[in-house]
Structure formats: structure tokens, C-alpha cells
Amino acid sequence: MSKILVTGGAGFIGSHVAEAYLEAGHQVAVLDNLSTGKKENIPAEATFYHADLTSRKTLETAFSEFKPEILNHHAAQISVNRSVREPYFDAEQNILGGINLLQVCAEHEVRRFIFASTGGALYGDAPKIPSPENTQVVPPAPYGIAKACVEHYIRFFTTEHGFESVILRYANVYGPRQDPHGEAGVVAIFAMRSIAGESCVIYGTGDQTRDFVYVKDVARANLAALEVKQGTYNVGTGNETSINALFAEFKALNDMLEVTNDDARPGEVFRSALDATRAHKDLGWEPKYDLTTGIRETYGWFRERSVQS
Ligand code: NAD
């Protein structure tokens, strides 16, 4: 059993990771500033620290009290659009906040650092699909630039301070608790629109593809990352799903669902999928959920919530 501090554990993915760690018998604390996260997402068994990555003082309190052995870093400003509009703010949260956290980890002798990075936002329009980890990193927006930068800092801290690190580069994660009001969670947005009886908006032709990986599979990758040798791993299904095909999944659940087409969004990556062969070999990880099953589970969760509210 390890003591694990999950930053961003009040958010979508971090809360599923915290749950998976608790279920595996670990002692878990969550550190979050609740900027997009919600208290109700934090598992009841986890200790909660209301702290900000950019505040050394609040980080110190959490580390001194909880004394984590492993740090799982999910807290971030996750809006790509906001990173384009406000690159300084993005860098402050995601780069400087990350360095702050790494420094506190080094001072408190954290043994292992696990980082939620990204595949698509690092590789951009990659020459090879699905893209392996050695794809050239050419982030099209500050959000990806910050992730690449923190990856470099992690490698530096790993060498300089002797802790182990695992970098997980996610594809497009979807599932229960994703924010349907954000810009990125197309699955959550389609689910909410379908339940509300509103039409789904598809930008451009709808032929653009993404690699949708279910959040419970991502949580399992974070479990595997506790044990394995350090390294950088893609976490995706390797399957390309077009937005039109995704819409068809929702149409199968609600025949009344309609679609509206709008202009393509400038700068949008056209094709994206991650090759997770390395995670399969080294972590023994592969996705268990196919898209239809994951969508059904997600849709059911959103529907239940809409009935309750
Ligand atoms: P989310 O917004 O639900 O979670 C982020 C959490 O971080 C929130 O709870 C928020 O309150 C917290 N947070 C933000 N800034 C903070 C700060 N300065 N100090 C403390 N807490 C702060 O987003 P998510 O989709 O769950 O993303 C989790 C992580 O996974 C992020 O690092 C994101 O970049 C990464 N990621 C997500 C995806 C995806 O498809 N959702 C893909 C690749 C990588």
C-alpha cells in the first residue's frame, strides 16, 4: 500500500484515478483548487487539500501533512482555446505550477511522479496514424507546448533528484463526470445535447478523426504506472473514429437526435490516434472498453444525472 497524492482529483479523470487507487487499497489524498473540479467528485475516503499548484505555501501544507510517496499529477488548465487566448495564464498554471509541484516533490522525497500528458496536442497532424511515442513533438497550441515543457522538466528532475517518473500521453478521454460545457469533451457534449433534445453541432465535414479512450481504461493505466519501469507511454485505443461515426453511436441511442453543421474550426487537427503498443508491452495495459460500450455507459450516467437534477 502506498500513500498517493492525486492533483486534479476533483476533476473528471483525476477522480476516476483516485477511485481506482482507493479500490486497490492505497491511501489517497486529493489536491485541487476546484477551478473546474467539483467537491462531489472527490471520493469520500480520500483526504482533500484545497490547494493551488501556483501557491508554494498551500502545496507545502498538503505535503507536510500527508507525506505522499507517489505523486499523480492531473491538475491543469485544460482548455486549448484558453491557452491560445491567454498563453501567459496557461503557462503560469501548467508550466510554472508543474515546476512548483516538482520542486516540492523533490524536497519531500516523493519516490515516483506520474504525469497526465497528451498525445494529440503534442503530435498535431502526425505523419503516421496511429502515432507512436517517437512521433515528432510539434504542438500546435500553448496547451501542448506546456505539456511538452513539463515532460522535459520531469526528465530533468528525475535525473537530478533521483525519483522515478512515468509520463502517460492520453488520447481523447471520455466518460462519466466529463464537463459537457467545456470545448473538448465532444462525447459529453453530444450526450447532454441528446438528453436535452438539442441538436449536435458538427464542425466541418465531420470526417475528422479522434481516438476515444474510456476513462476507466485510463484509470487502469494509472494503476499500472505505479509499478512499471519509468518511461513515456501513449494511452489510446489506436482506433480512429470520425465525428460522424461518433454521432451515429448517439443516434443509435436516440433516433430523434439531429445534427447541425457549422464551419470547420481553424487549426483543428484532422486525424489523430495513438499507438499504445509500448503500454501493452511494458505496462501490460490495453483498453477493455469498445466505443459502443463506453458510450452507452457514459450516456446512462448523464441521463441518470439529468433525471435527478
Ligand atoms: P478537469 O478540468 O476535469 O480536471 C483538472 C482538475 O485540475 C480540476 O479539478 C481543476 O479544478 C484542477 N486544477 C486546475 N488548475 C489547478 C491549479 N492551479 N491548482 C490545483 N488544481 C487545479 O480535466 P480532465 O479532463 O480531467 O484533465 C485531467 C488531466 O488530464 C489534465 O492534466 C489534462 O491536461 C490531461 N488530459 C486530458 C485529456 C482529456 O481528453 N480529457 C487528454 C489528454 C490529457
Side-chain angles (χ1 to χ4, degrees), residues 102-119:
L102 281 161
Q103 251 182 283
V104 180
C105 285
E107 285 161 16
H108 287 262
E109 289 167 10
V110 164
R111 170 162 67 75
R112 177 168 283 235
F113 191 95
I114 301 166
F115 179 50
S117 190
T118 170

Side-chain angles (χ1 to χ4, degrees), residues 18-19 22-23 26-30 41-48 66:
E19 257 170 26
L22 283 163
E23 270 164 33
H26 299 288
Q27 198 180 332
V28 175
V30 161
N41 288 343
I42 304 169
E45 306 90 324
T47 310
F48 175 51
F66 185 66

Side-chain angles (χ1 to χ4, degrees), residues 267-286:
E268 192 183 5
V269 171
F270 197 69
R271 291 179 63 199
S272 180
L274 303 185
D275 179 347
T277 307
R278 186 188 287 175
H280 183 47
K281 268 201 216 137
D282 291 1
L283 309 187
W285 177 87
E286 58 185 350

Side-chain angles (χ1 to χ4, degrees), residues 48-289:
F48 175 51
Y49 293 99
H50 192 180
D52 197 294
L53 293 175
T54 61
S55 153
R56 191 62 185 260
K57 196 160 157 261
T58 59
L59 292 185
E60 280 290 349
T61 307
F63 276 69
S64 307
E65 277 182 29
F66 185 66
K67 299 186 173 51
E69 300 162 86
I70 296 176
L71 196 292
N72 182 297
H73 182 29
H74 273 76
Q77 180 306 105
I78 65 153
S79 163
V80 176
N81 281 344
R82 186 164 187 191
S83 82
V84 171
R85 284 194 321 269
E86 298 175 59
Y88 186 89
F89 174 77
D90 182 77
E92 196 175 42
Q93 301 295 305
N94 291 357
I95 302 179
L96 295 181
I99 297 170
N100 224 5
L101 187 66
L102 281 161
Q103 251 182 283
V104 180
C105 285
E107 285 161 16
H108 287 262
E109 289 167 10
V110 164
R111 170 162 67 75
R112 177 168 283 235
F113 191 95
I114 301 166
F115 179 50
S117 190
T118 170
L122 288 188
Y123 306 144
D125 269 307
K128 189 173 173 210
I129 308 272
S131 314
E133 290 83 354
N134 63 4
T135 303
Q136 195 188 359
V137 170
V138 278
Y143 170 80
I145 296 172
K147 288 286 183 192
C149 186
V150 173
E151 286 196 5
H152 285 302
Y153 272 101
I154 291 170
R155 288 182 200 108
F156 163 75
F157 272 81
T158 303
T159 317
E160 187 70 14
H161 296 282
F163 53 73
E164 304 159 345
S165 61
V166 176
I167 293 167
L168 301 174
R169 291 179 176 167
Y170 300 156
N172 282 63
V173 188
Y174 72 96
R177 300 191 202 126
Q178 189 163 29
D179 182 4
H181 307 294
E183 84 230 6
V186 58
V187 170
I189 295 167
F190 279 12
M192 277 303 279
R193 288 192 160 255
S194 174
I195 290 158
E198 294 165 2
S199 71
C200 295
V201 184
I202 292 183
Y203 299 95
T205 61
D207 293 327
Q208 61 273 43
T209 64
R210 294 293 179 267
D211 178 346
F212 294 102
V213 62
Y214 194 53
V215 69
K216 288 186 184 166
D217 282 327
V218 171
R220 282 179 36 253
N222 279 271
L223 263 180
L226 294 176
E227 306 296 342
V228 289
K229 71 172 191 183
Q230 23 184 356
T232 301
Y233 301 97
N234 282 340
V235 175
T237 68
N239 299 324
E240 279 182 89
T241 302
S242 72
I243 303 302
N244 290 330
L246 183 71
F247 176 77
E249 292 281 346
F250 281 95
K251 183 86 177 159
L253 294 170
N254 172 6
D255 192 39
M256 307 290 282
L257 187 62
E258 287 181 357
V259 65
T260 314
N261 285 91
D262 207 338
D263 292 343
R265 286 186 289 194
E268 192 183 5
V269 171
F270 197 69
R271 291 179 63 199
S272 180
L274 303 185
D275 179 347
T277 307
R278 186 188 287 175
H280 183 47
K281 268 201 216 137
D282 291 1
L283 309 187
W285 177 87
E286 58 185 350
K288 283 190 176 161
Y289 279 80

